[in-house]
Amino acid sequence: MTAPRLRDGAPVEDSDDLDVEEALALVREAKDDGTGPARDPRPAEPHRPAPAERHRATPWPQAREIAARAARATRAPRPAATSSAPRRTPVPVPLGDALGLVLAAPLDALSDLPSFDTSAMDGWAVAGPGPWTVREEGVLAGHAQPAPLTDGEAVRIATGARVPADTTAVLRTEHGRTDAQGRLHATRDMVHGQDIRPRGQECRSGDQLLPVGTQITPAVLGLAAAAGYDTVTVVPRPRAEVLVLGDELLTEGLPREGLIRDALGPMLPPWLRALGAEVVAVRRIRDDAKALHKAITASTADLIVTTGGTAAGPHDHVHPTLERIGAELLVDGVKVRPGHPMLLARTRDDQHLVGLPGNPLAAVSGLITLAEPLLRTLAARPAPEPYTLPLTEPVHGHPYDTRLVPVVLRGDRAVPLHYNGPAMLRGIAAADALAVVPPGGARQGAETELLDLPWTTAGIGVCFT
């Protein structure tokens, strides 16, 4: 079957990516350019936006920028209102809980590193030129300061042990031999200070080791521990609450009698953790406006994520609830497929809500478009460096919207995956990244921006527990 074509020659995107109503809306709009019957003059249905309204949604790049800035801004002031969004207060956390967080205070050296002269190798600490008489006792790491050496004297020493006073070098085990009289000889030339790590070689007390804004990696934890830290001061992890909406969702067993399994309840919390959030609650709420209102107004999370209910049908309560509580709507619809409809609202000065579509892959699109930039700003994490790879095959584009298409990475190329419709997870489950396909599509070999999935890069932000 040949795909219907629009006036610019671009095909209406794959049937997997449009529901019936959206596809018909696009075709109807294409006919309004004079090539087809005139548009029906009757007003649009009360709960269905007209096609032109659909395409006044926020462009995808701009929506991500708005989401990234949202946590730094305050809501528009109301009469007699003087409050502003509170800054997120840095907190001290134990080293074991700091992985993936961002330093809110410089990591300054608490002492010299190393804090005393230490041996860099197993061998002998020696004083003056050889051969040397070897002491009977050795020097081990963790022991108190050993007695000083005199010229012509040596002592067995372990890596990391304190070097005796007046030591001139450390002779490695493999570079020394003892004669019949028990005297030590060097089998290679030595230089003064060889294999000794002098006190303060890495840093002096008070030196700045790492600046504010550094993301805490395993290596940063090691450095902090070596420098004597038990806790570090960090930007706290954003707290997220997930509200799974819908009467039709099952939590176990096979789909039956018009009910379907909830895919988002199991998927979103670990995905949010991988984005750096602390998921404080996952609540299931029926299609009930009062229950949704109560859940939103009672939440103390930094970010509320809802699933479904963002359209304009009789059981879609997200927009009316946001209007009822006086929320500030920052993004209401994004030009991205899959992903209709999604939204971002400021519910309080220190709280935001991301409304995701109910279709699973569309929800993933909303998560990446709106939740990821917002959480990144809240956590003070840097934006990932953008990169591109060529596509192994052409990808159809939407005439107006960006498309996010699951891909696998094979060498220096990206392979688009099938099963990428808004209700499908089969493609994203096998994917390494999402390709950002601009309106109109991308030809084979086109350099295309990629968004890595958080667990495919072995990133430190992958916090599934």
Side-chain angles (χ1 to χ4, degrees), residues 273-287:
R273 293 186 191 106
L275 294 176
E278 175 192 355
V279 179
V280 296
V282 179
R283 306 187 194 281
R284 301 182 183 277
I285 300 176
R286 298 184 64 85
D287 291 323

Side-chain angles (χ1 to χ4, degrees), residues 25-393:
L26 286 173
V27 174
R28 284 198 299 270
E29 185 172 359
K31 292 180 180 179
D32 287 345
D33 67 353
T35 62
R39 178 178 295 179
D40 189 339
R42 292 174 297 177
E45 297 178 43
H47 295 297
R48 299 292 183 184
E53 292 175 340
R54 287 181 181 274
H55 302 298
R56 284 199 295 267
T58 305
W60 182 77
Q62 183 181 344
R64 284 174 59 82
E65 291 174 6
I66 292 171
R69 294 195 307 265
R72 293 194 292 265
T74 62
R75 72 165 67 219
R78 297 180 179 180
T82 58
S83 64
S84 62
R87 297 173 67 93
R88 303 189 75 230
T89 304
V91 295
V93 300
L95 295 186
D97 298 329
L99 184 65
L101 300 179
V102 170
L103 289 178
L107 192 74
D108 295 337
L110 302 179
S111 67
D112 297 344
L113 281 182
S115 56
F116 46 81
D117 293 349
T118 64
S119 175
M121 293 288 169
D122 291 337
W124 296 269
V126 299
W132 301 275
T133 301
V134 181
R135 286 183 188 171
E136 290 185 4
E137 74 280 4
V139 181
L140 300 176
H143 286 202
Q145 176 71 48
L149 293 176
T150 58
D151 279 355
E153 191 176 25
V155 64
R156 268 285 185 183
I157 194 166
T159 302
R162 297 169 70 105
V163 171
D166 300 322
T167 296
T168 54
V170 170
L171 176 65
R172 301 185 185 190
T173 299
E174 61 269 28
H175 297 164
R177 66 174 181 83
T178 54
D179 59 23
Q181 288 74 39
R183 294 194 303 172
L184 176 66
H185 298 260
T187 59
R188 294 191 182 184
D189 291 339
M190 297 177 60
V191 296
H192 188 87
Q194 179 173 308
D195 289 326
I196 295 175
R197 291 190 64 208
R199 176 173 182 163
Q201 181 186 49
E202 187 168 3
C203 64
R204 290 292 184 181
S205 179
D207 288 351
Q208 185 180 108
L209 303 176
L210 293 170
V212 170
T214 299
Q215 194 165 6
I216 298 175
T217 65
V220 171
L221 293 176
L223 176 61
Y229 284 84
D230 300 316
T231 64
V232 284
T233 301
V234 298
V235 178
R237 201 180 299 279
R239 302 169 71 251
E241 181 170 355
V242 179
L243 306 180
V244 181
L245 313 182
D247 292 341
E248 74 281 13
L249 302 178
L250 294 169
T251 58
E252 60 183 13
L254 294 173
R256 62 183 184 274
E257 300 172 355
L259 302 177
I260 61 173
R261 277 298 297 269
D262 169 30
L264 297 181
M267 179 174 71
L268 291 182
W271 202 311
L272 289 165
R273 293 186 191 106
L275 294 176
E278 175 192 355
V279 179
V280 296
V282 179
R283 306 187 194 281
R284 301 182 183 277
I285 300 176
R286 298 184 64 85
D287 291 323
D288 181 282
K290 291 183 179 179
L292 179 60
H293 177 270
K294 181 178 179 180
I296 291 176
T297 54
S299 176
T300 60
D302 301 301
L303 172 64
I304 303 170
V305 177
T306 63
T307 70
T310 51
H315 297 292
D316 295 321
H317 301 302
V318 174
H319 278 92
T321 300
L322 293 175
E323 184 176 357
R324 178 182 174 189
I325 66 175
E328 181 182 4
L329 204 56
L330 304 176
V331 175
D332 189 11
V334 179
K335 291 184 177 181
V336 64
R337 301 297 174 111
H340 280 252
M342 66 176 72
L343 63 85
L344 170 64
R346 182 178 290 116
T347 51
R348 295 197 299 263
D349 279 342
D350 59 349
Q351 185 185 73
H352 292 80
L353 181 145
V354 169
L356 302 178
N359 277 326
L361 190 57
V364 168
S365 176
L367 197 66
I368 290 170
T369 300
L370 299 176
E372 186 276 331
L374 178 69
L375 288 170
R376 182 179 359 108
T377 300
L378 287 172
R381 292 164 61 178
E385 288 293 327
Y387 75 101
T388 65
L389 284 179
L391 297 172
T392 60
E393 58 187 73

